[in-house]
């Protein structure tokens, strides 16, 4: 089987109207499928489905996206949405990214682990990591949303779960550009995987999203970066490079993942951060 995967990205503006967003996604997916390199997996932006009208998963929005994925025969992680659930209190939501396979089936729902507070005060953090299979290419893809990237533990745990590609749906606003512009490269190189960060553009309730979506390689190369306008692109990722970097080291030298397993440094506060001296100090 081929170990090359064509990943398409959709950098777009986000409307408060969900129907408008879904129409934009459908148009951009069609443009990607009409381009020279046809994507096998397509990734959109944070809020790309809609954050103003919560609904269930499955529901009307995901029904539309399932039909779209089936029509084009692609894996589709088109955007994020606010998800309602019987397990939540009234006024609480998950911030979720549905993952849909080429048969039009929802195969996973990633719920944002690290909501950006206080702007996402109504969002309940998810409890589970999501790594989904692209069986046709023997590939594993980990999913994150926005602020999750700021916590290296999220990327590392997705990698430890087998992910070879980390995808991030984002809506980063202007003041964050200088802070975030190197993060995709850092997360890719420290985990020896591909990192695909897809950021929205345009004015929103909390600022102006600056775009500059990026794909970084396991060897810390910036493979592609968008500008600040609407953009779509498909890149071919060589998954054998992930295997090579992990087995033999980046540039056949730096064996971060191998050495992590070899040294197994202690993580005394994993799962019980409240006991860490840092947080005890902050409470006093």
């Amino acid at each position: 089987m081929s170990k090359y995967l064509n990943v398409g990205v959709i950098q777009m503006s986000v409307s408060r109207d969900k129907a408008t967003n879904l129409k934009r996604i459908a148009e951009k997916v069609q443009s990607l499928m009409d381009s020279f390199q046809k994507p096998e997996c397509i990734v959109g932006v944070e809020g790309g489905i809609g954050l103003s009208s919560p609904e269930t998963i499955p529901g009307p929005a995901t029904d539309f996206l399932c039909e779209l994925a089936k029509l084009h025969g692609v894996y589709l992680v088109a955007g994020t949405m606010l998800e309602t659930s019987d397990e939540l209190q009234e006024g609480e939501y998950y911030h979720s990214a549905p993952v849909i396979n080429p048969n039009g089936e929802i195969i996973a729902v990633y719920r944002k682990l690290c909501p950006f507070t206080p702007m996402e005060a109504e969002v309940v953090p998810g409890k589970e990591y999501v790594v989904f299979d692209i069986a046709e290419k023997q590939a594993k893809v980990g999913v994150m949303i926005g602020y999750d990237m700021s916590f290296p533990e999220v990327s590392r745990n997705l990698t430890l779960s087998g992910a070879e590609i980390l995808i991030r749906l984002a809506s980063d606003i202007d003041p964050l550009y200088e802070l975030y512009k190197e993060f995709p490269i850092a997360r890719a190189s420290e985990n020896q995987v591909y990192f695909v960060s897809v950021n929205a553009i345009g004015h929103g309730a909390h600022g102006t999203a600056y775009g500059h979506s990026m794909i970084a390689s396991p060897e810390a190369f910036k493979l592609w970066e968008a500008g600040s306008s609407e953009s779509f692109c498909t890149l071919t990722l060589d998954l054998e490079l992930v295997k090579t970097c992990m087995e033999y080291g980046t540039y056949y030298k730096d064996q971060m993942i191998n050495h992590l397993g070899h040294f197994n440094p202690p993580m005394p506060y994993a799962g019980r951060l409240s006991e860490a001296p840092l947080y005890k100090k902050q409470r006093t």
Side-chain angles (χ1 to χ4, degrees):
M1 289 187 180
S2 170
K3 288 291 285 184
Y4 292 95
L5 181 70
N6 289 344
V7 176
V9 301
I10 298 173
Q11 176 174 290
M12 67 177 222
S13 59
V14 174
S15 169
R16 289 187 59 82
D17 178 60
K18 189 175 293 180
T20 298
N21 291 332
L22 293 174
K23 181 181 178 182
R24 285 176 183 166
I25 290 169
E27 291 172 348
K28 297 300 182 185
V29 168
Q30 185 64 61
S31 295
L32 283 167
M33 299 309 296
D34 290 341
S35 62
F36 178 74
Q37 289 174 293
K38 287 185 169 49
E40 296 155 302
C41 177
I42 297 176
V43 186
V45 301
E46 184 175 13
I49 301 171
L51 298 179
S52 60
S53 52
E55 63 179 74
T56 59
I57 299 176
T62 53
D63 288 348
F64 177 91
L65 294 170
C66 285
E67 288 298 318
L68 186 64
K70 185 176 182 179
L71 173 66
H72 294 289
V74 295
Y75 288 86
L76 185 60
V77 193
T80 72
M81 58 184 285
L82 291 184
E83 177 193 1
T84 59
S85 173
D86 291 340
E87 65 195 49
L88 298 176
Q89 300 295 319
E90 184 177 353
E92 292 182 339
Y93 311 101
Y94 292 121
H95 188 165
S96 303
V99 180
I100 303 167
N101 72 11
N103 296 321
E105 301 163 333
I106 299 172
I107 56 174
V109 178
Y110 172 68
R111 297 177 174 104
K112 191 174 185 179
L113 292 176
C114 304
F116 192 84
T117 54
M119 290 190 296
E120 292 188 289
E122 78 281 12
V123 174
V124 175
K127 304 292 185 186
E128 297 179 352
Y129 292 97
V130 165
V131 175
F132 68 93
D133 291 307
I134 298 182
E136 300 87 342
K137 295 301 179 75
Q138 297 180 318
K140 290 184 178 294
V141 181
V143 186
M144 69 179 72
I145 299 172
Y147 197 38
D148 290 333
M149 182 181 68
S150 297
F151 302 88
E153 296 84 358
V154 175
S155 298
R156 178 52 52 85
N157 279 299
L158 289 169
T159 302
L160 291 174
S161 298
E164 301 155 287
I165 302 168
L166 304 181
I167 61 174
R168 171 184 180 252
L169 299 85
S171 185
D172 300 330
I173 58 176
D174 278 335
L176 294 172
Y177 178 64
E178 288 300 322
L179 174 65
Y180 279 176
K181 65 182 181 180
E182 305 297 342
F183 272 32
I185 295 171
R187 297 291 173 263
S189 60
E190 70 192 5
N191 290 290
Q192 299 178 303
V193 298
Y194 287 98
F195 197 101
V196 179
S197 181
V198 189
N199 192 36
I201 62 163
H203 302 295
H206 304 295
T208 302
Y210 58 75
H212 285 269
S213 301
M214 185 187 299
I215 299 178
S217 82
E219 294 183 317
F221 286 114
K222 184 193 302 180
L223 300 179
W224 172 80
E225 182 178 1
S228 56
S229 59
E230 287 204 349
S231 180
F232 62 91
C233 177
T234 298
L235 258 71
T236 301
L237 306 186
D238 179 4
L239 299 179
E240 287 296 326
L241 179 60
V242 176
K243 180 180 178 181
T244 298
C245 287
M246 286 190 175
E247 289 190 3
Y248 302 106
T250 305
Y251 306 122
Y252 298 95
K253 294 182 184 297
D254 199 328
Q255 305 231 353
M256 282 175 285
I257 295 300
N258 266 342
H259 285 163
L260 178 67
H262 175 73
F263 295 117
N264 192 19
M267 302 179 191
Y269 304 110
R272 48 191 191 93
L273 285 176
S274 61
E275 300 176 26
L278 171 66
Y279 294 113
K280 286 184 177 180
K281 180 180 178 182
Q282 289 180 350
R283 289 194 296 270
T284 59

